[in-house]
Amino acid sequence: MRNTKHLSPAVRTTAFSVCALLAATVLTACGAGGESGAKAAKDGVSTLETGSPAPDGKPDAAATPKVDSRRPQLRMDSTEEEIDKLDNAYNACLQAHGVPMNTKRAELAGAKQAWPMQGKEITTKYKSAFDACLVKLPRQPPEQDPAVNPHYTDDYRAYVKCINKTGMRVKMLQDEHGIATGWNYADDNGTNGFSEAKQIEIDKTCQKEAFGGKK
Protein backbone atom coordinates (compact mmCIF):
# COMPACT_ATOMS: atom_id res chain seq x y z
CA MET A 1 0.00 0.00 0.00
CA ARG A 2 1.48 3.33 -1.03
CA ASN A 3 1.52 6.47 1.06
CA THR A 4 -1.49 8.45 -0.06
CA LYS A 5 -3.36 11.65 0.53
CA HIS A 6 -6.94 11.63 1.73
CA LEU A 7 -8.90 14.74 0.82
CA SER A 8 -11.01 16.46 3.41
CA PRO A 9 -14.81 16.54 3.10
CA ALA A 10 -14.55 20.11 1.89
CA VAL A 11 -12.63 19.00 -1.19
CA ARG A 12 -14.96 16.21 -2.15
CA THR A 13 -18.58 15.79 -2.94
CA THR A 14 -18.91 14.16 0.47
CA ALA A 15 -16.75 12.09 2.71
CA PHE A 16 -19.02 9.10 2.45
CA SER A 17 -19.28 9.15 -1.33
CA VAL A 18 -15.50 9.12 -1.53
CA CYS A 19 -15.45 6.04 0.66
CA ALA A 20 -18.09 4.34 -1.45
CA LEU A 21 -16.02 4.75 -4.59
CA LEU A 22 -12.80 3.79 -2.86
CA ALA A 23 -14.42 0.54 -1.92
CA ALA A 24 -14.73 -0.17 -5.62
CA THR A 25 -11.23 0.96 -6.60
CA VAL A 26 -7.72 0.85 -5.22
CA LEU A 27 -8.02 2.21 -1.71
CA THR A 28 -6.06 5.38 -1.36
CA ALA A 29 -7.00 6.55 2.09
CA CYS A 30 -10.62 6.34 2.88
CA GLY A 31 -13.24 7.22 -2.11
CA ALA A 32 -15.84 10.73 -3.73
CA GLY A 33 -18.42 11.61 -4.95
CA GLY A 34 -16.54 10.26 -8.04
CA GLU A 35 -12.90 9.29 -8.00
CA SER A 36 -10.35 8.87 -10.77
CA GLY A 37 -7.64 7.05 -8.87
CA ALA A 38 -4.22 7.92 -7.52
CA LYS A 39 -1.62 10.00 -9.33
CA ALA A 40 1.98 10.72 -8.45
CA ALA A 41 2.45 14.07 -6.79
CA LYS A 42 5.61 16.14 -7.12
CA ASP A 43 6.70 15.16 -3.63
CA GLY A 44 6.38 11.50 -4.49
CA VAL A 45 3.20 11.02 -2.51
CA SER A 46 0.28 9.49 -4.35
CA THR A 47 -2.75 11.75 -4.14
CA LEU A 48 -6.41 11.00 -4.52
CA GLU A 49 -8.29 12.86 -7.23
CA THR A 50 -12.02 13.08 -6.71
CA GLY A 51 -14.99 13.70 -8.95
CA SER A 52 -15.24 17.16 -7.49
CA PRO A 53 -12.77 19.23 -9.53
CA ALA A 54 -12.51 21.92 -6.87
CA PRO A 55 -13.65 22.50 -3.28
CA ASP A 56 -17.28 21.41 -2.98
CA GLY A 57 -17.24 20.45 -6.64
CA LYS A 58 -17.17 23.96 -8.07
CA PRO A 59 -14.51 24.26 -10.80
CA ASP A 60 -13.07 27.78 -10.59
CA ALA A 61 -16.44 29.36 -9.92
CA ALA A 62 -18.47 30.18 -6.84
CA ALA A 63 -22.06 29.00 -6.91
CA THR A 64 -24.73 31.62 -6.44
CA PRO A 65 -26.95 31.35 -3.36
CA LYS A 66 -29.83 30.50 -5.71
CA VAL A 67 -27.97 27.51 -7.15
CA ASP A 68 -26.70 26.37 -3.74
CA SER A 69 -30.22 26.45 -2.33
CA ARG A 70 -31.34 23.98 -5.01
CA ARG A 71 -28.53 21.49 -4.52
CA PRO A 72 -29.38 18.29 -2.63
CA GLN A 73 -28.25 18.36 0.99
CA LEU A 74 -26.57 15.31 2.48
CA ARG A 75 -26.69 14.45 6.18
CA MET A 76 -24.22 12.67 8.40
CA ASP A 77 -26.65 9.73 8.47
CA SER A 78 -27.26 9.64 4.70
CA THR A 79 -27.17 6.05 3.46
CA GLU A 80 -24.78 4.79 0.81
CA GLU A 81 -27.79 4.23 -1.45
CA GLU A 82 -28.89 7.85 -1.08
CA ILE A 83 -25.39 9.13 -1.73
CA ASP A 84 -24.85 6.87 -4.74
CA LYS A 85 -28.14 7.96 -6.28
CA LEU A 86 -27.28 11.64 -5.98
CA ASP A 87 -23.68 11.19 -7.11
CA ASN A 88 -24.80 9.20 -10.13
CA ALA A 89 -27.32 11.89 -11.09
CA TYR A 90 -24.58 14.53 -10.96
CA ASN A 91 -22.11 12.44 -12.96
CA ALA A 92 -24.80 11.52 -15.50
CA CYS A 93 -25.45 15.23 -15.98
CA LEU A 94 -21.77 15.87 -16.65
CA GLN A 95 -21.68 13.00 -19.11
CA ALA A 96 -24.77 14.33 -20.92
CA HIS A 97 -23.02 17.69 -21.22
CA GLY A 98 -20.01 16.12 -22.89
CA VAL A 99 -17.52 15.81 -20.05
CA PRO A 100 -15.15 12.85 -20.69
CA MET A 101 -15.83 10.07 -18.23
CA ASN A 102 -13.47 7.56 -16.64
CA THR A 103 -15.32 4.60 -18.09
CA LYS A 104 -12.38 2.20 -17.83
CA ARG A 105 -12.08 2.61 -14.06
CA ALA A 106 -15.85 2.47 -13.70
CA GLU A 107 -15.89 -0.85 -15.55
CA LEU A 108 -13.16 -2.22 -13.27
CA ALA A 109 -15.17 -1.07 -10.27
CA GLY A 110 -18.38 -2.56 -11.64
CA ALA A 111 -20.05 0.84 -11.52
CA LYS A 112 -22.98 1.53 -13.85
CA GLN A 113 -22.31 5.27 -13.88
CA ALA A 114 -18.79 6.52 -14.56
CA TRP A 115 -17.35 9.64 -13.00
CA PRO A 116 -15.53 12.46 -14.80
CA MET A 117 -11.92 12.46 -15.84
CA GLN A 118 -9.78 14.81 -13.76
CA GLY A 119 -7.33 17.57 -14.42
CA LYS A 120 -7.16 21.32 -14.92
CA GLU A 121 -7.52 20.87 -18.67
CA ILE A 122 -10.84 19.04 -18.22
CA THR A 123 -12.33 21.50 -15.73
CA THR A 124 -11.28 24.45 -17.88
CA LYS A 125 -12.48 23.05 -21.21
CA TYR A 126 -15.80 21.85 -19.78
CA LYS A 127 -16.39 24.63 -17.27
CA SER A 128 -19.83 25.37 -18.72
CA ALA A 129 -20.83 21.73 -18.19
CA PHE A 130 -19.68 21.73 -14.55
CA ASP A 131 -21.52 25.00 -14.00
CA ALA A 132 -24.69 23.62 -15.59
CA CYS A 133 -24.61 20.47 -13.45
CA LEU A 134 -23.62 22.12 -10.19
CA VAL A 135 -27.26 22.26 -9.14
CA LYS A 136 -27.20 18.43 -9.00
CA LEU A 137 -24.02 18.15 -6.95
CA PRO A 138 -24.87 17.12 -3.37
CA ARG A 139 -23.83 19.51 -0.64
CA GLN A 140 -21.79 17.91 2.10
CA PRO A 141 -23.29 17.66 5.58
CA PRO A 142 -23.09 21.02 7.39
CA GLU A 143 -20.85 19.41 10.02
CA GLN A 144 -18.26 18.73 7.30
CA ASP A 145 -18.43 22.16 5.69
CA PRO A 146 -15.74 24.53 7.01
CA ALA A 147 -17.85 27.48 5.85
CA VAL A 148 -20.68 26.37 8.14
CA ASN A 149 -19.03 24.52 11.01
CA PRO A 150 -16.89 26.94 13.06
CA HIS A 151 -15.19 23.96 14.73
CA TYR A 152 -14.43 22.17 11.45
CA THR A 153 -10.65 21.91 11.86
CA ASP A 154 -10.94 20.88 15.51
CA ASP A 155 -13.44 18.21 14.48
CA TYR A 156 -11.15 17.10 11.67
CA ARG A 157 -8.29 16.86 14.13
CA ALA A 158 -10.48 14.61 16.30
CA TYR A 159 -11.28 12.55 13.19
CA VAL A 160 -7.57 12.01 12.46
CA LYS A 161 -6.90 11.21 16.13
CA CYS A 162 -9.66 8.61 16.01
CA ILE A 163 -8.09 6.99 12.95
CA ASN A 164 -4.70 6.82 14.63
CA LYS A 165 -6.22 5.14 17.69
CA THR A 166 -7.20 2.20 15.49
CA GLY A 167 -3.58 1.48 14.61
CA MET A 168 -3.47 3.28 11.28
CA ARG A 169 -0.84 6.02 11.16
CA VAL A 170 -1.95 9.23 9.50
CA LYS A 171 -1.18 12.94 9.77
CA MET A 172 -3.49 15.89 9.16
CA LEU A 173 -2.80 18.40 6.40
CA GLN A 174 -3.72 22.09 6.55
CA ASP A 175 -3.79 24.97 4.10
CA GLU A 176 -2.11 28.33 4.56
CA HIS A 177 -5.06 29.48 6.68
CA GLY A 178 -4.78 26.54 9.06
CA ILE A 179 -7.92 24.83 7.74
CA ALA A 180 -7.78 21.05 7.46
CA THR A 181 -7.51 19.86 3.87
CA GLY A 182 -7.05 16.13 4.34
CA TRP A 183 -4.56 13.62 5.64
CA ASN A 184 -1.59 11.54 4.51
CA TYR A 185 -0.47 8.19 5.74
CA ALA A 186 2.36 8.92 8.15
CA ASP A 187 4.61 6.33 6.52
CA ASP A 188 4.62 3.49 4.01
CA ASN A 189 3.04 1.17 6.57
CA GLY A 190 0.40 3.68 7.61
CA THR A 191 -2.40 1.26 6.73
CA ASN A 192 -1.10 -1.18 9.37
CA GLY A 193 -1.95 -3.98 6.95
CA PHE A 194 -5.69 -3.37 7.25
CA SER A 195 -7.82 -4.47 4.31
CA GLU A 196 -9.59 -1.94 2.11
CA ALA A 197 -12.92 -2.82 3.74
CA LYS A 198 -11.45 -2.35 7.21
CA GLN A 199 -9.95 1.04 6.31
CA ILE A 200 -13.27 2.22 4.90
CA GLU A 201 -15.04 1.02 8.05
CA ILE A 202 -12.56 2.92 10.22
CA ASP A 203 -12.92 6.06 8.15
CA LYS A 204 -16.70 6.06 8.31
CA THR A 205 -16.76 5.31 12.03
CA CYS A 206 -14.30 8.09 12.82
CA GLN A 207 -16.09 10.60 10.63
CA LYS A 208 -19.32 9.99 12.48
CA GLU A 209 -17.60 10.07 15.85
CA ALA A 210 -15.77 13.34 15.14
CA PHE A 211 -18.38 15.22 13.12
CA GLY A 212 -21.67 13.63 14.09
CA GLY A 213 -24.11 15.60 16.17
CA LYS A 214 -22.29 18.93 15.80
CA LYS A 215 -24.47 21.99 15.28
Side-chain angles (χ1 to χ4, degrees), residues 1-84:
M1 183 64 68
R2 294 170 294 177
N3 189 25
T4 58
K5 176 183 177 182
H6 178 283
L7 301 180
S8 78
V11 193
R12 302 174 286 173
T13 306
T14 70
F16 296 134
S17 55
V18 172
C19 290
L21 286 171
L22 275 183
T25 62
V26 175
L27 184 71
T28 49
C30 149
E35 183 265 274
S36 71
K39 66 174 183 178
K42 290 183 179 179
D43 60 1
V45 177
S46 297
T47 59
L48 174 67
E49 291 186 288
T50 71
S52 302
D56 208 19
K58 291 171 274 192
D60 302 323
T64 65
K66 183 177 180 180
V67 170
D68 263 343
S69 67
R70 294 167 57 198
R71 290 169 58 193
Q73 176 68 67
L74 291 172
R75 311 175 312 278
M76 288 299 298
D77 62 351
S78 291
T79 66
E80 296 294 348
E81 290 74 19
E82 291 173 330
I83 295 168
D84 288 345

Side-chain angles (χ1 to χ4, degrees), residues 73-145:
Q73 176 68 67
L74 291 172
R75 311 175 312 278
M76 288 299 298
D77 62 351
S78 291
T79 66
E80 296 294 348
E81 290 74 19
E82 291 173 330
I83 295 168
D84 288 345
K85 182 178 180 179
L86 293 172
D87 283 345
N88 287 339
Y90 171 66
N91 290 330
C93 178
L94 294 177
Q95 185 170 13
H97 280 76
V99 177
M101 310 302 283
N102 200 331
T103 54
K104 180 177 294 187
R105 186 167 289 276
E107 290 174 1
L108 291 174
K112 294 181 179 180
Q113 173 60 55
W115 41 93
M117 299 293 288
Q118 298 297 295
K120 181 68 173 180
E121 181 180 348
I122 295 294
T123 57
T124 298
K125 183 176 181 179
Y126 297 95
K127 181 178 181 301
S128 61
F130 283 100
D131 287 347
C133 295
L134 182 57
V135 69
K136 293 182 178 293
L137 179 65
R139 299 172 67 183
Q140 65 231 25
E143 295 89 344
Q144 294 181 307
D145 184 348

